[in-house]
Amino acid sequence: MRKLFGYGKRFGMVAMAIILSGALLLGSVATAKAAEGKVVKVGLIATFTGPLATVGSPWSKGVIDCIRYVNEIGGINGVRVDLSWQGCGSNVAKAIPAHKRFVEGGALMEFMEVQPAGAMLTFLQRDQIVGNNVNALEPALISKPQWF
């Protein structure tokens, strides 16, 4: 049990580091959009249900809380982050329409959990949207740093 807790703690620290690095990345993207209304749109393909809900739900809630906190402290260089989310329950077939809604809504970045990330790479590249996820299961995504 102690060993499991240690893994969970490390996973949480890595997840938070990735989320915060995503916020910093948004800072560089957001400055280009700052003059247009001081809002940058991002999407979250959340996992509150399904087979990975025990891991995905806390991660999805963490992303929502992190974005809320960033907005409470004044945004990123004065730019507010507008987060919209769609639950997919680790189902790629639900993640694809969610991605399309984010694109139509003007999102510049998507957060997603493990399951749909590999399948979504083609869509993210085509639509030129930055993807951010915590993923130890698909190391091939690391070879595409401009998107993940």
Side-chain angles (χ1 to χ4, degrees):
M1 184 68 170
R2 187 176 242 196
K3 191 174 185 178
L4 182 62
F5 178 73
Y7 288 131
K9 186 176 179 181
R10 270 190 252 142
F11 177 77
M13 302 239 339
V14 169
M16 189 52 64
I18 290 175
I19 290 170
L20 292 175
S21 68
L24 290 174
L25 175 65
L26 281 176
S28 63
V29 173
T31 54
K33 293 282 187 177
E36 294 179 16
K38 301 206 180 217
V39 173
V40 65
K41 295 182 180 186
V42 299
L44 166 63
I45 298 177
T47 302
F48 294 117
T49 61
L52 297 176
T54 55
V55 175
S57 180
W59 182 81
S60 296
K61 290 175 185 176
V63 171
I64 293 168
D65 288 344
C66 182
I67 298 297
R68 186 177 298 139
Y69 174 74
V70 166
N71 286 331
E72 285 174 2
I73 62 169
I76 302 168
N77 296 330
V79 179
R80 192 175 70 78
V81 181
D82 182 17
L83 175 72
S84 51
W85 64 272
Q86 181 73 41
C88 74
S90 301
N91 185 336
V92 176
K94 291 181 181 177
I96 293 170
H99 168 77
K100 289 180 182 178
R101 282 191 283 278
F102 296 149
V103 170
E104 291 168 1
L108 298 177
M109 180 178 196
E110 282 182 31
F111 293 93
M112 63 193 71
E113 49 85 18
V114 175
Q115 186 62 29
M120 298 304 295
L121 182 58
T122 303
F123 296 101
L124 293 168
Q125 289 175 327
R126 180 194 68 199
D127 299 324
Q128 297 185 355
I129 293 180
V130 177
N132 188 324
N133 79 328
V134 178
N135 191 339
L137 302 177
E138 297 184 48
L141 294 178
I142 296 170
S143 67
K144 308 291 185 190
Q146 68 271 28
W147 302 108
F148 279 92

